[in-house]
Amino acid sequence: GENVEQHPSTLSVQEGDSAVIKCTYSDSASNYFPWYKQELGKRPQLIIDIRSNVGEKKDQRIAVTLNKTAKHFSLHITETQPEDSAVYFCAPSPYNTDKLIFGTGTRLQVFP
Amino acid sequence: DSGVTQTPKHLITATGQRVTLRCSPRSGDLSVYWYQQSLDQGLQFLIQYYNGEERAKGNILERFSAQQFPDLHSELNLSSLELGDSALYFCASSVEGTSRDEQFFGPGTRLTVL
């Protein structure tokens, strides 16, 4: 089955710094790459996603980059703020598949 | 608020017991997913239903079962409960039930098995 790993597992940054989380997957059929954010005690929410025909997508302070050859994609957060503190999950999936396989999660802490 | 509701919010029970978790999807969503999130663990996909039919199965134990009713709400039944079943159980819904659809998560049911 699909093997999905995230690195690092925890990340601490100073407010205003950038944060990068990497997701590595094994299924070469994966062609949909979302990132979910889960704040403490709350539900996961989709924050950004990318399709395999696109190498990069940006939405304000967050961006996702994809390296399909190397089978990894990354979440980039610039100018981090304390409210970015959360656990982030990637969930690479083949397009039109019926389920999401979530990565192991990365706990991001942004210190003021 | 995602529009997905789950009841109850908290559930405390004893080992060996049976419980039922309920989920109502967003209006118009045909697909329901169930996930288990143990302490400091990621989200484990359990099972998916689409318009009343089972569509995909993940790491769901034989002691667990689920169904989706004609009104599209879903129930997850957990039986012969063990201490290790203590977790947060999330339900999510999406329009068509494919990975291109955003999944909207409910607030979760926290199950504690004593």
Side-chain angles (χ1 to χ4, degrees):
Chain A
E2 173 76 279
N3 188 32
V4 181
E5 292 184 0
Q6 284 181 232
H7 294 281
S9 56
T10 60
L11 180 59
S12 297
V13 299
Q14 204 74 32
E15 182 178 0
D17 288 350
S18 295
V20 181
I21 303 169
K22 185 176 178 180
C23 179
T24 305
Y25 59 95
S26 61
D27 188 349
S28 57
S30 295
N31 53 11
Y32 172 63
F33 307 95
W35 283 97
Y36 280 77
K37 175 184 180 183
Q38 185 178 23
E39 296 176 29
L40 188 63
K42 296 196 176 175
R43 71 196 80 193
Q45 288 186 284
L46 178 71
I47 55 170
I48 196 166
D49 59 11
I50 196 170
R51 315 288 178 188
S52 62
N53 57 344
V54 176
E56 182 174 351
K57 182 177 178 180
K58 194 172 180 182
D59 182 4
Q60 298 181 7
R61 295 187 298 107
I62 60 172
V64 55
T65 57
L66 172 65
N67 185 329
K68 220 169 176 239
T69 304
K71 291 190 212 164
H72 65 75
F73 62 112
S74 297
L75 176 68
H76 304 255
I77 307 174
T78 59
E79 299 171 34
T80 52
Q81 300 167 5
E83 52 264 38
D84 294 328
S85 296
V87 178
Y88 292 83
F89 294 98
C90 63
S93 305
Y95 198 71
N96 280 348
T97 194
D98 297 315
K99 59 188 179 185
L100 292 175
I101 303 299
F102 285 85
T104 46
T106 296
R107 185 175 299 279
L108 172 65
Q109 285 186 298
V110 180
F111 293 98
Chain B
D1 186 1
S2 66
V4 179
T5 61
Q6 287 186 249
T7 56
K9 196 170 182 179
H10 300 280
L11 197 50
I12 301 174
T13 188
T15 53
Q17 294 299 305
R18 182 179 190 276
V19 297
T20 297
L21 313 184
R22 183 189 168 104
C23 167
S24 292
R26 292 187 320 156
S27 177
D29 284 359
L30 297 178
S31 193
V32 169
Y33 304 76
W34 286 98
Y35 295 90
Q36 179 192 57
Q37 186 173 40
S38 302
L39 192 64
D40 289 334
Q41 295 293 313
L43 289 153
Q44 299 294 320
F45 169 73
L46 296 178
I47 197 163
Q48 179 206 3
Y49 282 82
Y50 176 79
N51 205 20
E53 299 289 325
E54 181 184 307
R55 192 175 231 184
K57 221 166 183 176
N59 300 321
I60 188 166
L61 300 171
E62 284 191 14
R63 300 183 285 110
F64 297 180
S65 65
Q67 55 183 326
Q68 186 179 29
F69 294 87
D71 67 352
L72 301 178
H73 91 271
S74 178
E75 291 181 356
L76 178 67
N77 301 297
L78 315 176
S79 62
S80 302
L81 285 168
E82 302 174 359
L83 295 177
D85 297 327
S86 295
L88 193 52
Y89 290 84
F90 283 105
C91 158
S93 74
S94 69
V95 175
E96 295 182 9
T98 63
S99 66
R100 68 171 177 267
D101 296 332
E102 179 177 352
Q103 291 190 21
F104 294 87
F105 284 76
T109 292
R110 183 168 295 283
L111 172 67
T112 302
V113 182
L114 301 174

